[in-house]
Amino acid sequence: MTTDDRTTTRTVHLGVYDTLADWETGHATAFLARAGYEIRTVGPTTAPVTSIGGLRITPDLALDDVRPQGSALLILPGADRWDTGDDLAPFAAKARAFLESGTPVAAICGATAGLAREGLLDDRDHTGAVSFYLAATGYGGGERYVEKDAVTDTAAGAALVTAGPTEPVAFAREILSLLGVFEGEVLDAWYRLFHDSDAEAYGVLAEAGVA
C-alpha cells in the first residue's frame, strides 16, 4: 500500500482491552462512523475484553495483525491497566510503528502515560490528565506538556492527538478535524453543542446537514 492509499483508507483502529474507559472515545467513533469510516476494534488477542463499565467487547483483530499501512488512525483509550503493569505496553509499541510509518495516533487519559513510557512524547507537544501524572512515568518530554483540553502535534511527522480523561469531546474534535470530517464553523459548532450544550450551535449543524 502506498502513502496515497493510506490517506484514502476509511478504516480506523480502536484499541480495546480490559478496564478500558468506555466514555473516552464514543464521540469520536460515533461521528467517524457516521462519516463513513469503518471502526475496527483491536485487542491484545481476539478474546473478549471487559471495559471499566462492564461492557464485554470481542475484538475484530488481534494487535499483532494490525498494520499501519491499512489504517487511517489508531485510537488508544485510557484504562486502569496502563498504570498497573506492562500488559498494554505492546499497544504503545504499535503506536510507535504507526507514527514511524506516517499514520496518525490519538491517545487519551492513561494511554498518554503509555506513550510517555514508550518515549513518544519526548519530542512532541502533548497534554494529558495533569503534568505530574505524566512526569511520574520518568519521561523526557515534560517541557513539551501543554495546558490545553486536547493537543494535536504534527511537528515530528505523523500527527499525534492527546487529551486527558475529562475531555472526550475535545479529543473527538481534534480527531474529526484531523481526518477532515468537520472543519471551520461546523467543527466549532459541533464542539460547542456537545461540550457546552450551546443550542445556537445546533442551527449551524442543521444548516450544514450534520444535526
Side-chain angles (χ1 to χ4, degrees), residues 21-154:
D22 319 70
W23 65 91
E24 293 178 342
T25 61
H27 288 85
T29 56
F31 281 88
L32 287 171
R34 291 184 67 174
Y37 283 89
E38 179 185 17
I39 310 300
R40 301 275 283 168
T41 53
V42 181
T45 67
T46 55
V49 299
T50 304
S51 77
I52 199 169
L55 300 180
R56 189 172 173 84
I57 302 166
T58 301
D60 296 312
L61 299 165
L63 185 63
D64 286 345
D65 296 328
V66 176
R67 300 291 179 269
Q69 293 78 12
S71 183
L73 174 70
L74 174 64
I75 302 176
L76 298 176
D80 291 345
R81 289 201 171 188
W82 282 110
D83 296 319
T84 57
D86 296 328
D87 290 355
L88 300 185
F91 282 89
K94 184 66 70 171
R96 175 180 292 281
F98 267 62
L99 292 170
E100 290 179 348
S101 76
T103 304
V105 172
I108 185 169
C109 188
T112 63
L115 298 194
R117 295 184 187 97
E118 182 67 20
L120 296 177
L121 304 185
D122 290 353
D123 301 313
R124 294 174 170 87
D125 288 345
H126 61 276
T127 192
V130 287
S131 60
F132 58 80
Y133 168 65
L134 292 182
T137 68
Y139 82 132
E143 293 184 355
R144 303 295 296 267
Y145 188 90
V146 182
E147 293 286 355
K148 290 180 63 177
D149 55 9
V151 171
T152 298
D153 181 274
T154 59

Side-chain angles (χ1 to χ4, degrees), residues 145-181:
Y145 188 90
V146 182
E147 293 286 355
K148 290 180 63 177
D149 55 9
V151 171
T152 298
D153 181 274
T154 59
L160 175 63
V161 177
T162 51
T166 61
E167 298 293 347
V169 180
F171 185 59
R173 179 196 64 208
E174 298 299 301
I175 290 171
L176 297 175
S177 174
L178 178 66
L179 295 187
V181 174

Side-chain angles (χ1 to χ4, degrees), residues 202-211:
Y202 184 85
V204 177
L205 297 179
E207 185 175 344
V210 174

